[in-house]
Amino acid sequence: MHRFFRAAAVTAALGLGLIAAFAQPAEAASKKTFKLGYSIYVGFEPLQWLKTSGVLKKWADKYGIDVQIVQINDYVGGINQFIAGDLDAFAMTDMDQLTMPAAGGVDSSIFLITDYSNGNDAIVSKTANSVKELEGQNIFLLQYSVSHYLLNRALILNGMKGVGAVKTTNISDAEISAAFISQPDMAHAVSWKPMIPDMVKGAPGSKIIFDSSKIPGEIMDVFVGNTATLKDNPDFAKALTGAWYEALGHLKANDATAAEIKQAMAGRLGTDVAGTEAQMATTHFFWTPAEAYEFLTAAKTKEIWDYVRTFCFEQGLYGQGADSVDAIGIELADKSVLGSPKAVKIRVDPTFAKLAMDGKL
């Protein structure tokens, strides 16, 4: 599961954004082949079943196009490929969309929301029983990731001044679980599944004191496309949306095909079906397009984006030269804009969820 942003990628994103600005195809409307990239994560993993089952091809054939799904093990590298124009869309978190494509100058749109973390991300402690007990303590986490964001929100919701109330130490997602288990003086950490259960089990007495279910909707997982590409080639998003909800329909019904999908997901996630279901249990899937449309158009979504952009700006994740939280414009579903209307780089587009909801795909 790759759900993070590396600070060093800001510079790369800025440079790649300039490349992307000049890399748009001259005849975008005639484009027939599209590439969607993703990295392994429970909320995105139905994509591989769509690919191997032929369901995606069926939907792509309906629109006379070819949609290729590309697994990219390097999450940040995948986003950089999207920024450079090598991918037409990439599956990422809302925060990463802001701090990479948007900060890099690329105008991108959310055309499908898959899920949000509903307990996958958590703060675990060996000594503290509450978030308030963390004040002044050293917290280990992957800096500038959704773990950092989660910690900030947890502290604020408990009457503290965000991450300024604690000390933080950067540690990679590959190291955090083993370090927490083996190092007695590493008392507090923030991470995500599948590491969190291992950390709690491996360090006796440790417990989860806050998780993402307390901030529903704030850690979103979304399909992000280049806005110009989607505008000129809406059939790309239509085909993906139709295929996606066909897969989720089976999962929601828990039918025989759902068992097939879960088995495929388990293999990709490196676990068994029970492990996959445990991850799905703390992932709030938008099972129907109606649920996705309701979320994308809700007033609460504007509030969430304000939380995210404020944290990112305060942490310097807008990149060099950004002197205000309003430096990047975020256009919401109702066309209102957070930030500068002259610098819109993120668009929340409920069009395709609405088409699916109305049976018009």
Side-chain angles (χ1 to χ4, degrees):
M1 175 178 177
H2 298 281
R3 311 179 67 240
F4 60 87
F5 170 82
R6 292 195 188 280
V10 173
T11 302
L14 290 170
L16 287 167
L18 293 175
I19 294 171
F22 296 99
Q24 298 308 312
E27 298 181 6
S30 65
K31 189 174 170 69
K32 292 296 182 182
T33 299
F34 302 88
K35 292 182 179 181
L36 167 68
Y38 87 107
S39 62
I40 292 175
Y41 164 59
V42 64
F44 301 144
E45 204 45 55
L47 283 171
Q48 276 298 323
W49 179 83
L50 289 177
K51 178 180 179 179
T52 58
S53 67
V55 169
L56 179 59
K57 184 179 186 304
K58 177 188 73 175
W59 278 91
D61 287 349
K62 177 179 179 178
Y63 291 101
I65 61 175
D66 177 36
V67 179
Q68 300 174 5
I69 293 176
V70 183
Q71 180 190 320
I72 298 173
N73 294 328
D74 179 357
Y75 175 71
V76 171
I79 297 179
N80 281 336
Q81 287 186 50
F82 169 69
I83 292 169
D86 296 331
L87 297 170
D88 300 292
F90 195 75
M92 64 185 82
T93 69
D94 54 335
M95 179 174 158
D96 293 331
Q97 182 188 12
L98 178 58
T99 56
M100 292 191 70
V106 176
D107 188 328
S108 64
S109 296
I110 293 172
F111 64 92
L112 194 156
I113 181 167
T114 64
D115 66 275
Y116 64 74
S117 176
N118 197 36
N120 275 331
D121 300 82
I123 303 172
V124 61
S125 177
K126 295 172 182 172
T127 59
N129 294 306
S130 68
V131 172
K132 289 186 177 181
E133 292 178 37
L134 296 178
E135 186 163 9
Q137 297 293 304
N138 189 20
I139 319 295
F140 289 77
L141 46 69
L142 183 63
Q143 198 168 29
Y144 306 135
S145 69
V146 291
S147 292
H148 208 159
Y149 175 81
L150 178 81
L151 175 63
N152 187 65
R153 290 288 291 137
L155 294 167
I156 290 172
L157 289 172
N158 280 273
M160 300 157 76
K161 295 182 179 180
V163 291
V166 298
K167 302 172 186 176
T168 59
T169 296
N170 186 47
I171 185 171
S172 77
D173 55 312
E175 299 171 318
I176 194 167
S177 181
F180 187 79
I181 292 169
S182 63
Q183 299 178 21
D185 59 344
M186 186 174 170
H188 321 289
V190 191
S191 190
W192 56 78
K193 286 185 174 180
M195 287 82 79
I196 285 290
D198 292 340
M199 292 159 71
V200 172
K201 182 179 179 180
S206 61
K207 63 187 75 66
I208 292 172
I209 59 173
F210 188 91
D211 67 42
S212 54
S213 67
K214 306 295 193 301
I215 51 169
E218 295 189 32
I219 301 177
M220 307 175 209
D221 296 302
V222 293
F223 287 177
V224 174
N226 181 286
T227 298
T229 299
L230 294 174
K231 181 179 178 181
D232 291 334
N233 304 275
D235 287 350
F236 169 45
K238 289 179 183 178
L240 274 172
T241 300
W244 181 259
Y245 284 114
E246 182 168 335
L248 260 61
H250 289 299
L251 286 170
K252 181 177 173 60
N254 202 27
D255 57 18
T257 302
E260 178 186 327
I261 297 171
K262 288 179 183 178
Q263 189 65 55
M265 290 173 67
R268 307 293 296 184
L269 294 167
T271 184
D272 54 16
V273 171
T276 298
E277 290 176 339
Q279 291 188 44
M280 291 178 69
T282 48
T283 304
H284 181 100
F285 281 90
F286 291 95
W287 295 110
T288 67
E291 292 171 32
Y293 181 79
E294 181 181 6
F295 180 85
L296 291 173
T297 58
K300 177 68 176 177
T301 301
K302 181 175 183 178
E303 186 178 315
I304 289 171
W305 273 108
D306 200 28
Y307 294 151
V308 173
R309 73 181 190 131
T310 299
F311 170 77
C312 291
F313 176 72
E314 288 177 347
Q315 297 302 313
L317 301 181
Y318 270 25
Q320 295 180 349
D323 58 2
S324 165
V325 71
D326 293 326
I328 297 173
I330 302 170
E331 183 183 272
L332 300 159
D334 63 0
K335 302 301 181 183
S336 64
V337 176
L338 278 173
S340 172
K342 296 180 180 180
V344 173
K345 296 300 176 186
I346 289 179
R347 301 171 196 271
V348 179
D349 187 354
T351 301
F352 304 100
K354 183 69 162 60
L355 287 171
M357 181 175 72
D358 293 342
K360 294 181 178 180
L361 288 178

